[in-house]
Structure formats: C-alpha cells, structure tokens
Amino acid sequence: MNDMTRVERTVDSKAIKIAAKKVQVYYGETHAIKDVDVEIEDKTVTAFIGPSGCGKSTFLRCLNRMNDTIDICRVKGDILLDGEDIYDKRVDPVQLRAKVGMVFQKPNPFPKSIYDNVAYGPRIHGLAKNKAELDEIVEKSLRRGAIWDEVKDRLDAPGTGLSGGQQQRLCIARAIATAPEVLLMDEPCSALDPIATAQVEELIDELRSRYSVVIVTHSMQQAARVSQKTAFFHLGNLVEFGETGQIFTNPEDPRTESYITGRIG
Amino acid sequence: MALSWLLLILLALAVIGYFAGRSRALASAGGDTRDLHSLPSYYGYNVALSALVPALVVLIIWLLVQPMIVNSTVSGIIPDQAIPEGSNRGLIMSEVRRVANGLEGAVASGAMTEAQAQDGSADIETLTKTLKDAGQVLTQDITQPILVAAQKFRSMTSTGTVAMQVVVLALALLGAAFAYVRTHKEFRARNVVEQGVLALLLLAASIAILTTVGIVLSMLFETMNFFQLHSWKDFFFGSTWAPNFRGGSELSILPLLWGTLYISLIALLVAVPIGLFAAIYLSEYASGATRAIAKPLLEILAGIPTIVYGLFALLTVGPALVSMFGQGGTLGVGWMASSNAVLTAGLVMGIMLIPFVSSLSDDIINAVPQSMRDGSLGLGATHSETVRSVILPAALPGIVGAVLLAASRAIGETMIVVMAAGAIAKFSGNPFEAMTTITTRIVSQLTGDTDFASPETLVAFALGLTLFIITLGLNIFALYIVRKYREQYE
Ligand SMILES: Nc1ncnc2c1ncn2[C@@H]1O[C@H](COP(=O)(O)OP(=O)(O)O)[C@@H](O)[C@H]1O
Ligand SMILES: [Mg+2]
C-alpha cells in the first residue's frame, strides 16, 4: 500500500462546493441513506468508499438530482451547491445536471459519432453560437478528456466503436463539454482493464485543477491513489469522512478499520 | 370395417402390448425392478410404440396414395368419345366418383343389392331412378361409360381398403411381436423409447416445413401452367388488367401491384406515426399501472379478425369519408363518388396495423439500455430531448424493421381491401378513387365457377406466388434488421 503516500496531500482548506446536511433517502419503504452530513470541497477529489449496497451511488445521485428519475425515490434534508439548495422548487434539475456532470459505471457513449457525443450537451444547452465555437468546445473537451490524440482523425466514427477505456474517457469528455463545476463519477473504472484504469486515474488527477470531483470506487487502492478526501459509507450511514491519508492510515471508527483491512466488505 | 374400428383395434393392441411387454420384462428380472436396465414402463412403451408407429405410418401413406392410384386407373378406362363437348376428363371423373358414392350409399341403405350395384349391363334408366329414390345426389345423367367406371372405382376402392386393413393389422402384430420377443432385462428399452420419441418430434417438425414447401411447389406448378397459356411479358410488363373468360384477356400484375402498394402506403402513413407515438408514450412516459392496462388493450386490437375491420370500413369509415369529401359533403369538394376507395381501405388497414407497429416498437424502445437514458439525462437533457436525440436514433434500425414487417402485412392483407377498396384495376394517384389489389383479384379469380385450365383462373396462382415472394423478401429483410439490432445491445 505504498501508493497511499503518492498523491501529495494539500491540507490547506478550500472553498466548500457542496454541503449536504441531514440527508435521508428512501426507496419506497427502504431507508437507503440515513442522516448523512458531508462537505465537498472545490478543486478536490473526494472518494466515496464502502461495501456494495451501502448507498454510495444513491448519495452520489442525490448531488445532481438523478434520483428524480426514479419514481419511488424520496430525498429529504438539504443539499447546497455554492450555498443554494438544489432541491429548491426554483431550481431546474435539467440546468443543475449541466452544472453537476456525471460519469457512469459502464461507459455509455450514445450510438452517434464521437463528435456528436461530445457536442450533445453543448447543443441542448445552446453553449455554442456557431459551428466554429462548437468545434472548439469539442476539441477542448476531448483534450481535457485525454483522448483527443487518439480520436482526432476519426471524429465521424461511431463512439461505440472505441475500446472500453477510450469510451469511458469519451464519456468524461462528454460530461466536461457542458462546462460543469462538479464531476460525479460512479465507479468509472470498474468495467476497465488495468491500463485503461491507470489512464482514467491520471485524467482524474488532472481534472482536479478545474473541477470538484466526487468518485465512487470499490477499490481502496484507487481511492488512496486519486483522492484527497475520503468518505466511508456503511449500511446507509456516513461512518467517517476526512483526509484520505488519515482514513487509510489512522481510521477513527473500528468499522472503517475493518473495511480497509478487508474484514468487512 | 370402418377406419375408426381399425384405429381402435390398433390402440387396443398397443395397450395389450404395453402390459405384456412390461410383465415380460419384470418376469425376466425375476420380479426385481432393480435388475432391469430401464424402468418397467419403458419396456411396455417399447412394445406399444412398435405396434403403433409403423402401422400408423403405413396407414396414413396408404390413405393418401390409394385414391391417386384408383383415380388415375379409372380415368384411364374412360374412352375419349365418352367425354362430351365442353367438358373434360376431370369433370367426368367427379361424376364417376359421385355415382360410385351413390351406389355405395344405395347398397348401404338397402335400396339396391350388391349384385345390382355390380351389374355392368344394368338398365341405366332404372338405375338412375333407384339411386334418385334412394336420395343420392346426381347432377348429370348417368351414361354407360360412367357407370362402368364407377363400378370399377367401387371395386378398386373396396379391394384397396381390405388390403390396407390386412397390411396394417399384420404390421401392428409383427411390430408388437418383434418388440415383445426382444424384451429382456438387458434390453435398453429406455434408450430405444427416447429415440422413438425423438423421431416423432422430428416428424412433427418436418411436416410443418414440408407443408410449406408443398404449398410453394403447388403454386409454382400452377404458375408454370399459367405461363404456358399466357405470355409472361404481359403478366409482368403489361399495363392492363382485363380478365375475360371468353379468352383474349389482358392479365398484367402491374396495375394490381400499384393498387396494393398505394393502399399499403396510406396504411403505413396512418399506422407508423400513431403506432410509434403510442409506443413512445407506453415505454417512456406511462406509469406502470397505465402500461399494465394499455399494452394488453392495444394487443387485443391486434387480435380482431380482419373481416371485422372490413365491416368497419364498409359501414362506418367509407360513408363518413363520402359525407366529408363527396358530392354535397361537409367540405363541399365532391371528390369522392363512392365509399369504396383507396383512402377508405388504407385508413382502416392503418388502424389495423397500429397495434402491430406499437407493440414491436415498444419492445425495441425498451431494449435500448437504461444507461443511454441516464447518460443523456445526466448531461442535463430533458426527457423529450432524450427520447428524440438518443433513444429514437438508437432504436431506429429496429423500428425500420418493425415498419417493414407492418408493410408486408399490409401488402398481404385481403379482407379489408376486398370490402373497401373496390374492384377497378388502374394506375391512378387519386386516393378517392376505387382501386384493386393483388389479393382481391386472387379472390375474385378463384371464386364462383372456375375452370382450372384457363389462364383467367390460373393467373391467381401467379399472382399469389409473386405476392408470396414479395412478402417473403420483405420479412427476411426486416427480420435481419431487427435481429442485427437486438445483437447490438447484448
Ligand atoms: N432503484 C432502486 N430502487 C429500490 N432500491 C434501490 C434502488 N437503487 C438502490 N436501491 C437500494 O438502496 C441501497 C443502496 O444502493 P446503492 O446506492 O446502489 O449502493 P452502492 O452503490 O453503495 O453499492 C441498496 O440496498 C439498494 O438495494
Ligand atoms: Mg453503486
């Protein structure tokens, strides 16, 4: 577990991007998230870890209101983005999701060309005045997604024809194209091979300079490698939240310790 | 002995064979079932099947072949002079069969003795009278050659039947005896029975396929007969459909094909948008409860017999259209003269196809993975933007396949066009005019008095075969597209 010390930990505190207070989530009768308080900083990678079924994805999906698309799901409590309640009636979830982008577990490029995949968000939000501007957004996003060099000669080829790792970086580029402030990633590497995983992890580290990144991961090594803050979830509770180094080397809660030493999970 | 008796005897033999085989197997193992290779019942089934299957197969083949042989022999003994002007051998043969049946019936009811029925020199008039008094149906006057042929027909049939019974029973006994003798505790009855069952299943499957091949072949032969009587150039490239039973018909498929395609086009223009929108609503917007009610309802629509749609066209849609577009109608345009029109048939056929299109498209839209929707919604697209820009494009190939399947149904549809499209074959772009289709012309050429030697009748087979090939091609193409699409997400 030498990787743990690899990322240099900036301890100086940054602006709070998202603040969640007393969040409860119910699927029908099931109480999936219980009383979660968490503060996510800007320009930081925050990792959510925990055994499967503990509610990591559920909580992540609260942050861009993707849970609204599930009929039986109810969210209570406050989630503030830059101090504004995102569950307020005046907030349009559709606008919110452009600001809080999401990358999913399985790469899900649309069955369209690579160009159209990336241009999809800017087009529906009217971010480009003309074709030249759109081209520029597409190129910039693909560059930030660290995939430009691989696809620049075949922007018209279908996005579904890329390899798994390329598809996932395309999906990240697609999310970046709507100029988000926060990027949510739900186990973005779980369908990728080790090489593609390394590429995506490197990319996440670069993204930190511009965005606030929240990543759900199954792999503790990955959390240790890419994140500065780590939150440990267990049975719908947020058990521990703190500096990644702290959580992995000196956890306060015995449940956290059992999990990272492999006794629960 | 009637056929049912024969079957009963066969069954009884099988049952007896079952118990005999079973007990013989048990006896050979000294009563201990564990010493047997298979369960005792398998030995029983083996004997029963050995008795039944060969006998039944021979019985079926015999029943199919005997009438052919009898017919051809008897028709050979009718002299050419005995066929009157304007008739043919086929017609005479059906008269022969009628007389033979009449004799059979008369003997059975006691109106005539067997000797009288077989008397080749009997007085025709008395015979006719006796038969008529006995209530037998005769359409034509009996002549001497017909009587002789009928008597030959009767004697051949009855000899054949007796021979069949003997052969079938002998086979059953032989089969049972063979299997019975082989029954021994070492005998692998289970494997043999399994193989027998497999053979039966295979037989069932091949009957379905062979029947299809048979249908196509018979159409093909009749079509070839047609092309010997009528030029293929006129059929495929002529411009007029004018059948005339006195000869000199012009029988071109093109005007009919035009009518078929025009009506199908209107039907698709109705069915595709409505069906597709219904599918989008059902799969993307409807709540679980609505879906649970609406989907079966739509599918019930698909089960309505097309003749009912035909009545709907005839009684409701046609008159409604006339009152709108006809002389003195609401629109005051006077375009539509009669309720039989391309538009009427197309509209109703479109309604018929709506559930077909919607249920196929619904399946296809549901097959688009949830991750596509999440991806689009996660980028801040609204629900309808997601449907329009992601789901429909992703589902497009499958939807095209569904539309092609719908088109092939429209092209082959008969009842609605028979009742609502009219009977005039012509090239015209006016949807308010009556037109006719391939299917309606097949019906009309084959109904009523038909003579299977004239091109006017045989053309029906050529039309049918062409239609079959068109729809088959469409179906294969559509299924190919749909399947390819399904693989994409698996
Ligand atoms: N769409 C849903 N409907 C009902 N229950 C759900 C749904 N999604 C998740 N859950 C439940 O919520 C709990 C948390 O699930 P999830 O957030 O997916 O866990 P994780 O991502 O940590 O593996 C689980 O018990 C799961 O069964
Ligand atoms: Mg999850």
Side-chain angles (χ1 to χ4, degrees), chain B residues 133-150:
Chain B
D133 289 346
Q136 299 300 325
V137 188
L138 301 171
T139 50
Q140 215 177 319
D141 291 333
I142 304 177
T143 60
Q144 186 65 29
I146 289 185
L147 179 64
V148 171

Side-chain angles (χ1 to χ4, degrees), chain A residues 51-58 60-61 105 186-187 216 218:
Chain A
S52 71
C54 66
K56 307 178 295 289
S57 302
T58 301
L60 194 73
R61 293 162 61 94
Q105 184 165 356
D186 192 350
E187 304 192 26
V216 169
H218 242 109

Side-chain angles (χ1 to χ4, degrees), chain B residues 65-78 89-90 93-94 96-97 153 156-157:
Chain B
V65 173
Q66 175 178 316
M68 290 189 213
I69 296 177
V70 172
N71 256 338
S72 69
T73 323
V74 171
S75 117
I77 67 168
I78 300 175
R89 204 167 279 274
M93 269 312 289
S94 50
V96 167
R97 275 192 296 273
F153 187 93
M156 274 189 83
T157 309

Side-chain angles (χ1 to χ4, degrees), chain A residues 25-28 30-33 49-61 67 70-73 105 186-187 216 218 233 236:
Chain A
V25 182
Y26 301 86
Y27 288 112
T30 323
H31 197 172
I33 290 288
I49 61 170
S52 71
C54 66
K56 307 178 295 289
S57 302
T58 301
F59 186 69
L60 194 73
R61 293 162 61 94
N67 282 334
I70 300 174
D71 291 336
I72 54 167
C73 185
Q105 184 165 356
D186 192 350
E187 304 192 26
V216 169
H218 242 109
F233 285 80

